[in-house]
Amino acid sequence: MIWLAAIIGYAINGPFGALIGFLIAWVLGFAVRSFVVRNNNHVTDLFLNSLFAMLAKIAKADGIITKEEIDAVTQFMNHVKLSSADKKTAINAFRSASVSKHSIYEYASQYSKLASGEMRGVVYAVLWDVAYSDGILHEKEDEILRRIPEYLGLNSGAYHQYKDRIHNQNDWNEDAIDKAYEILGCSKDSSIKEIKKSYKRAIAKHHPDKIHSQGLPKEFMDYANEQSKSINKAYDLIKKHRHDS
């Protein structure tokens, strides 16, 4: 299936990308070995179900699936060029898993029985991509990414390699930090106390209850919700940056 091979391209060119050395060795070997899931519709459905269920679980690890996480999953889905039927299967799997009581580790164990080692490595890269799509690696996301290589049958060292990349990214991600201070209406010179006050003011200004009490249309409420999310993310990013500095 073409979409399986396309995952390689995503891993190399995607927003986060996979480990370059690992992928070079993998791509060189691709031409001389089969890399296609067995031609069996049932197996393909199981493959897609477990794959997109894992993406749903990592997206909801911190309690809410954000627009950035949905965009990351959608971008992945579009890149691998699923057929209409496979896309429907993937979307249904994502939705079901987002409310399922099954753990991501159960889905990972199922996936590892159907996918090659290379495919499991790529999916681990995509999990990182989704988790870090909002620029913040939450504690629960970090825990999943640390534990899941065992269930995917991957070397535990993969976690540390990706985590190091995150830290390296923070060195050049100054634009995101500047934007976060701008959203809160403060600066890098502001004290922690001043930043906290700015955060509270910004949240109060865009709180949905305040919009509702003014009798404004639903569109204003939606805008307030989006602004509140942006403010919370900006505050989390600033706190993390101050803690790591």
Side-chain angles (χ1 to χ4, degrees):
M1 294 180 184
I2 295 174
W3 60 265
L4 283 171
I7 294 178
I8 299 174
Y10 180 89
I12 297 173
N13 298 311
F16 191 86
L19 299 172
I20 299 302
F22 171 76
L23 284 172
I24 289 174
W26 167 24
V27 174
L28 288 175
F30 179 80
V32 294
R33 66 175 178 271
S34 173
F35 189 60
V36 178
V37 172
R38 287 167 286 168
N39 186 21
N40 180 302
N41 289 337
H42 176 64
V43 172
T44 300
D45 285 349
L46 284 175
F47 182 91
L48 289 171
N49 272 302
S50 53
L51 167 57
F52 282 89
M54 283 190 286
L55 297 182
K57 288 297 184 181
I58 194 71
K60 201 173 181 181
D62 59 346
I64 184 171
I65 299 178
T66 66
K67 180 182 182 298
E68 290 83 0
E69 289 164 336
I70 292 174
D71 287 346
V73 174
T74 301
Q75 183 176 354
F76 171 67
M77 188 183 299
N78 290 338
H79 187 95
V80 299
K81 304 184 188 305
L82 298 179
S83 67
S84 296
D86 286 341
K87 190 172 184 178
K88 184 177 180 180
T89 298
I91 292 171
N92 288 338
F94 187 92
R95 288 174 176 168
S96 297
S98 67
V99 295
S100 170
K101 293 183 179 179
H102 292 294
S103 73
I104 190 172
Y105 308 111
E106 293 177 78
Y107 293 118
S109 296
Q110 182 182 58
Y111 181 81
S112 67
K113 295 174 183 177
L114 301 168
S116 68
E118 293 90 349
M119 285 294 293
R120 285 179 266 132
V122 170
V123 167
Y124 186 55
V126 180
L127 289 173
W128 273 94
D129 185 18
V130 173
Y132 201 60
S133 60
D134 58 359
I136 302 169
L137 188 62
H138 296 274
E139 184 178 346
K140 290 183 179 178
E141 293 171 337
D142 187 70
E143 180 185 358
I144 287 173
L145 293 167
R146 177 176 54 80
R147 292 181 58 194
I148 205 167
E150 175 186 351
Y151 296 88
L152 288 173
L154 300 174
N155 190 308
S156 60
Y159 166 78
H160 297 290
Q161 290 173 300
Y162 279 94
K163 192 64 178 288
D164 287 344
R165 287 171 65 89
I166 288 287
H167 286 307
N168 291 337
Q169 271 193 334
N170 288 338
D171 292 338
W172 54 260
N173 200 18
E174 289 300 317
D175 287 345
I177 299 296
D178 291 342
K179 181 64 176 178
Y181 280 108
E182 181 183 331
I183 289 171
L184 294 191
C186 53
S187 71
K188 291 181 179 179
D189 295 328
S190 301
S191 66
I192 293 295
K193 187 175 180 180
E194 290 171 334
I195 292 170
K196 191 171 184 178
K197 285 182 178 179
S198 296
Y199 164 71
K200 288 181 176 179
R201 281 196 301 268
I203 280 292
K205 181 180 178 181
H206 295 95
H207 198 285
D209 288 345
K210 184 174 182 179
I211 303 297
H212 179 71
S213 67
Q214 295 174 355
L216 295 172
K218 178 181 178 297
E219 288 74 17
F220 283 81
M221 183 76 77
D222 293 338
Y223 172 78
N225 281 323
E226 287 301 315
Q227 289 298 105
S228 294
K229 288 178 184 178
S230 296
I231 292 165
N232 281 316
K233 287 177 186 176
Y235 187 49
D236 285 342
L237 184 59
I238 290 172
K239 286 193 298 181
K240 184 178 186 301
H241 182 254
R242 288 289 183 107
H243 177 72
D244 291 343
S245 298

